[in-house]
């Protein structure tokens, strides 16, 4: 009988020991998860605050910088009354004429969105400039692509869906614009289908 009691207590002791080991491992893992997981305060502190530009003056440097943050190729921004004119640098890398027009649409929509977040902006014009060489070899910087939206257009746009739509068909940005112009030498290089879509 003594052997049986000893064996029984041995088994009980082994089971308790195994449960203790499992409990210890579980506690350590819970503590490491807690240590790894940021607290609510840390999470809130780490999130970059989005600047509310809705009521800033259009000439406010914070508003101007928020627009510039949408595209590294934005050069100058001019404000006249309730109109914001955004000039892109003339040294933007351009693969082709079509890529300039397409990139202006796909990247320009973010700029329009940020500019129209300000309730005082009623018209926003994007201008991409480029260097052109005439038949005599004279080089001159001119407007390559110019597109204007007004508040009414912007208010109708669901920006999150619209961005995806532009990746499928960039001409839609021009189709809904108040007005747009494309330098003739660039216009002539576009696909006829794209030109037809823009003129609808």
């Amino acid at each position: 009988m003594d052997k049986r009691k000893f064996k029984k207590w041995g088994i009980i002791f082994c089971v308790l020991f195994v449960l203790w080991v499992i409990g210890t491992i579980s506690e350590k893992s819970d503590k490491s998860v807690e240590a790894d997981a940021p607290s609510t305060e840390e999470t809130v502190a780490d999130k970059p605050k989005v600047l509310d530009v809705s009521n800033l003056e259009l000439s406010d440097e914070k508003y101007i910088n928020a627009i510039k943050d949408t595209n590294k190729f934005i050069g100058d921004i001019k404000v006249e009354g309730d109109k914001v004119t955004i000039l892109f640098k003339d040294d933007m890398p351009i693969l082709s004429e079509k890529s300039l027009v397409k990139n202006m649409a796909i990247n320009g929509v973010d700029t329009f969105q940020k500019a129209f977040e300000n309730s005082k902006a009623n018209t926003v014009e994007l201008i991409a400039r480029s260097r052109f060489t005439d038949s005599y070899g004279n080089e001159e910087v001119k407007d390559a692509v110019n597109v204007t939206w007004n508040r009414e257009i912007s208010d109708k746009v669901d920006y999150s869906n619209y961005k995806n739509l532009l990746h499928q068909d960039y001409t839609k940005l021009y189709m809904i614009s108040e007005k747009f112009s494309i330098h003739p030498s660039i216009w002539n290089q576009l696909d006829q289908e794209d030109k037809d879509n823009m003129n609808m």
Side-chain angles (χ1 to χ4, degrees), residues 46-80:
D46 290 344
K47 275 189 176 178
K49 290 186 179 179
V50 177
L51 177 65
D52 178 14
V53 298
S54 60
N55 290 314
L56 295 175
E57 291 300 319
L58 295 180
S59 58
D60 190 308
E61 199 64 32
K62 292 176 187 171
Y63 174 63
I64 301 293
N65 288 333
I67 294 172
K68 286 184 176 182
D69 287 344
T70 65
N71 191 307
K72 66 182 178 181
F73 294 108
I74 292 176
D76 196 20
I77 297 177
K78 298 177 183 177
V79 176
E80 297 171 22

Side-chain angles (χ1 to χ4, degrees), residues 20-190:
W20 175 80
V21 169
I22 291 171
T24 305
I25 292 171
S26 175
E27 262 184 46
K28 285 182 183 176
S29 121
D30 287 348
K31 286 180 183 176
S32 70
V33 168
E34 286 175 13
D36 291 344
S39 69
T40 306
E41 293 169 3
E42 290 173 344
T43 307
V44 171
D46 290 344
K47 275 189 176 178
K49 290 186 179 179
V50 177
L51 177 65
D52 178 14
V53 298
S54 60
N55 290 314
L56 295 175
E57 291 300 319
L58 295 180
S59 58
D60 190 308
E61 199 64 32
K62 292 176 187 171
Y63 174 63
I64 301 293
N65 288 333
I67 294 172
K68 286 184 176 182
D69 287 344
T70 65
N71 191 307
K72 66 182 178 181
F73 294 108
I74 292 176
D76 196 20
I77 297 177
K78 298 177 183 177
V79 176
E80 297 171 22
D82 63 358
K83 180 180 181 182
V84 179
T85 303
I86 301 164
L87 299 164
F88 287 79
K89 298 174 185 174
D90 62 16
D91 61 352
M92 283 191 309
I94 301 170
L95 299 174
S96 68
E97 290 81 359
K98 183 176 180 175
S99 73
L100 173 63
V101 178
K102 185 176 183 175
N103 289 340
M104 184 69 157
I106 291 171
N107 298 322
V109 73
D110 292 326
T111 306
F112 276 130
Q113 181 179 14
K114 182 52 79 176
F116 280 114
E117 282 179 13
N118 188 308
S119 60
K120 297 174 183 172
N122 285 318
T123 304
V124 176
E125 179 180 29
L126 305 182
I127 302 173
R129 300 182 56 94
S130 189
R131 297 184 182 281
F132 294 92
T133 306
D134 67 14
S135 301
Y136 301 99
N138 299 312
E139 194 174 86
E140 188 176 358
V141 175
K142 295 182 179 180
D143 289 359
V145 180
N146 181 320
V147 60
T148 304
W149 277 16
N150 58 37
R151 166 75 53 195
E152 183 181 343
I153 293 167
S154 178
D155 287 347
K156 291 178 184 177
V157 172
D158 177 344
Y159 282 97
S160 59
N161 289 333
Y162 196 67
K163 291 173 189 179
N164 294 330
L165 189 62
L166 288 177
H167 282 282
Q168 296 168 16
D169 181 3
Y170 74 92
T171 64
K172 292 190 182 301
L173 180 118
Y174 300 97
M175 290 167 52
I176 68 167
S177 66
E178 179 180 333
K179 63 182 179 178
F180 74 91
S181 63
I182 298 173
H183 191 279
S185 66
I186 294 173
W187 181 259
N188 292 335
Q189 300 302 314
L190 296 178

